[in-house]
Amino acid sequence: MAEIKDPKIDIELSREMSLFHITMMGVGMMIGAGVFVGTGISIGISGPGGILLTFALNGLIALFTAMSYAELSSAIPRAGGAYNYVQQGFGGFPGFLAGWMEWFASSAAGSLYAITFATYILHFLSGFEALSRFNLESDLLMKLVALLAALVFIYINYRGASETGTAGSLMAIGQTVTLALVAVVGVIVVLRNPGRLSNFTPFLPHGWGKIFITMGFTYVAFEGFEVISQTGDEAIDPRKNIPKAIFYSILIVVTTYLAVSFATVVGIRAEGVPVWQWMQERGATGFAEAVAQLMPMGGILVIAAVIFSSTSALNATTYSATRVSFALGRDRLLPPAVSRISSRTKVPHIALLLSAILIVGMAVTLPIEDVVSGASIMFLLLFFLVNMSAIKVRRERGDELTYGYVMPFFPYIPLIAIVLQVALAVWLVHKSWIAWVVAGTWILLGFVLYMLYSRSRGTEVKEKISVLREIRELVTKEYQIMLPVANPENAARLVDYAGRIARAKDGEILVLNMVVVPGQMPLSEATAFVDSGEDAIIAAMTNAPEGVPVHSTVRLGRDAARGILSGISEHASNLVVLGWGGSVDKGFALGRTIDPVIEKAPCDSMVIKLNANEVGVKPKRILVPLTYVPHGYLALDMAGILADEPDSEITIMHVIRKEVERENAQRNMEVMLRLLGEKEDRGHVKILGPGEVGDLIVQESENHDLIIIGATRESGLQQMVFGSLPEQIAKRSNKTVIMVKAYTGIQSRLRRWFGG
Amino acid sequence: MSLNHILGIIIITIAYGLLWYLVLYGRRIIGRIDDSRLENLREIKRELGLNKDKNG
């Protein structure tokens, strides 16, 4: 966690992404269009053996660069990826060029995903009899669909919507599992029919030289570690987890690619035609056709996987392109208007618009093979700069940086990567001279822009490393109450309740304001949004009861609920207190932020619905409708604490279902009075019923000014945040209602794994 | 099986094996770094026996 600006009100980055999330993020980016489009085209160029050699050797070269990324990201764990590292290493023109090339590379990758989406969806539709009379696979139609897909995702980006970490991870798992299934079927086919191995003959029909072309061509399929390195602001324990995620994702991806390309080759029933020729005739969709021959429903399965993967990758690359162009504008290397932020959606809309023009422009004007080659060339040159930076940063500043990983065989590994990547990039001219013309023009344009504009205006960014220092430990007391606040008026009233509990428990309060930052903005750059939450924090701090320690923090994150939850875990809070205005978000029990916090909080939780007419917290008549243990015990505990006026009294009420239960219930409830501790003498029992529980509680609440009710059942579904009864009471009663839920233990391993 | 087959399989095996080795080695390095004890590169490299270059 990092402190950025003001030492009095801390600013935290909400680190919500676990090792699993960031690994799957990288896997999801890599197992995208690269393998689906690249496999078919590459087998056509270098043959069935060539594709295996391509992926194995590319994997190794990518790993060499990944080691540089791992080292740099562990030492400089902030958002920005390659641009950030080259700025730290060289600054000046190389720094600008890295951002400039990264912008192009991400946009070209975005174009590739848009084209892949269009190609596969039209290929799928052309399989229907009713549509066969239309020429669905025409170039013009494909470009139109690609344009439409790109525009839809750019619009989604503009609206500021983002897919959640878990949804993205599930999609990446889906893609990987689909491909793993293809691989397993491939092995089974060979075991049952070893004759299929003859598809590997001729192994390299056009010689060894073609492998270098396909290596360069498919290199874009290995760029996912760039996305992982951009999560420096959001990953939990980034010094260790980012290098680990980079390594794991490369291993998963290379293994998958090798297994899938093996299965693709053995799946083809070419009927006398060599496999490479069969693939050459089919091009980008050859992979889906090969899998269709390998297994039943294989074609549909692959098309579904391609459509899902290319849409999520298109979304992610649009983010990347926007982020890096925003950073260039922020550092005055591009006109500052590029870093302007929309006041309505909080998205850097000019950066998004410029990125959109690049993505759409390439998708519409260039053939798919040139787009793939262009993206690969730019990533190869970008990685060249990153490897150079890894050497320079370690040699010049190694001793002042804290590393979480250092690569072995330094500096030979980055040097080998540099030589091989430049060679592959140059060799790609044999595949697409157009890509080189486009890439060269872009670099030249960058050079001119730098000399004429950026050189004199750019700001120094090196000193920013020191800004991200570890946060000081906030916890000074054993018991901590987390109080997320948004509205100053409610914050002042909520802190009164939280303060009384903190005083009774000899604890402290952590007032937290969550600032939701759109995905296109690095969290550490979003300090401009901080002011919006300061009023609520100040209101809470100035109204806190005397003698209770109060800390405050503004937390920057992608999602309010996830940010609060990760804050609870990081600060080891014992109780979270949330305010509820009384209005219900559609599809939620109480609200889109409250529901997930209550459901998943690793501590006791409390939701307070404030009575609009109540002034100050002086409840004299407290009603505790007794519910299930342990939530009921927590409700009684809180009632004992809040009944701190000299004449406060507490009514423990219970509703019986049959008259015969009355005597027994009275006896049990009297035992419960002991849970009020030293306030036991202020409590009395009231047995009501038989009757409808909700009606009787609401009716009884009229004679009280505060109702404290525990959750009635374990939650699981959205509508069961507290159980129906407390929600019903909170919605129907016009008094202040406090709903409490005791923390009952650790979530299942499966859920923690998925939820991070 | 042609010479290309044999050479190809050998290269794939070596490349893939090296990939595994470097990943597992990297994981070991990350696992051995203890934030509370190790403050900078010099100490990490000494701990890992990687202090052969001139900065180490």
Side-chain angles (χ1 to χ4, degrees), chain B residues 29-42:
Chain B
I29 292 174
I30 298 163
R32 285 176 64 181
I33 290 168
D34 178 350
D35 289 338
S36 62
R37 274 191 309 119
L38 298 173
E39 283 301 312
N40 58 36
L41 174 66
R42 200 183 293 275

Side-chain angles (χ1 to χ4, degrees), chain A residues 509-565:
Chain A
I509 300 173
L510 176 60
V511 180
L512 175 140
N513 177 251
M514 254 329 281
V515 175
V516 177
V517 182
Q520 296 86 348
M521 292 273 293
L523 293 184
S524 56
E525 305 300 338
T527 47
F529 302 150
V530 166
D531 293 349
S532 61
E534 281 184 347
D535 287 351
I537 287 187
I538 291 164
M541 291 187 84
T542 50
N543 285 281
E546 284 290 314
V548 176
V550 183
H551 307 287
S552 65
T553 183
V554 173
R555 201 169 167 84
L556 304 172
R558 302 295 179 203
D559 176 271
R562 286 208 310 272
I564 294 169
L565 285 167

Side-chain angles (χ1 to χ4, degrees), chain A residues 111 201 564:
Chain A
S111 304
T201 303
I564 294 169

Side-chain angles (χ1 to χ4, degrees), chain A residues 219-233:
Chain A
Y219 203 79
V220 67
F222 293 85
E223 48 85 25
F225 49 82
E226 164 64 25
V227 180
I228 295 175
S229 73
Q230 287 183 7
T231 63
D233 286 350

Side-chain angles (χ1 to χ4, degrees), chain A residues 208 240 248 255 399 404 406, chain B residues 4-5 16 27 33 41-42:
Chain A
W208 289 82
K240 290 182 177 175
Y248 294 162
T255 307
D399 288 346
V406 283
Chain B
N4 277 348
H5 277 100
Y16 190 61
R27 193 179 178 282
I33 290 168
L41 174 66
R42 200 183 293 275

Side-chain angles (χ1 to χ4, degrees), chain A residues 211-292:
Chain A
I211 294 170
F212 292 105
I213 294 177
T214 48
M215 280 173 70
F217 180 68
T218 58
Y219 203 79
V220 67
F222 293 85
E223 48 85 25
F225 49 82
E226 164 64 25
V227 180
I228 295 175
S229 73
Q230 287 183 7
T231 63
D233 286 350
E234 299 170 61
I236 299 164
D237 197 1
R239 283 185 201 285
K240 290 182 177 175
N241 283 342
I242 290 183
K244 278 185 188 172
I246 287 173
F247 289 136
Y248 294 162
S249 60
I250 294 258
L251 200 56
I252 292 169
V253 160
V254 174
T255 307
T256 309
Y257 284 179
L258 283 173
V260 166
S261 44
F262 175 84
T264 309
V265 171
V266 298
I268 297 169
R269 286 190 286 255
E271 312 293 346
V273 181
V275 162
W276 66 268
Q277 199 177 329
W278 187 92
M279 271 295 187
Q280 203 174 46
E281 287 161 9
R282 285 159 180 82
T285 55
F287 173 69
E289 291 191 38
V291 176

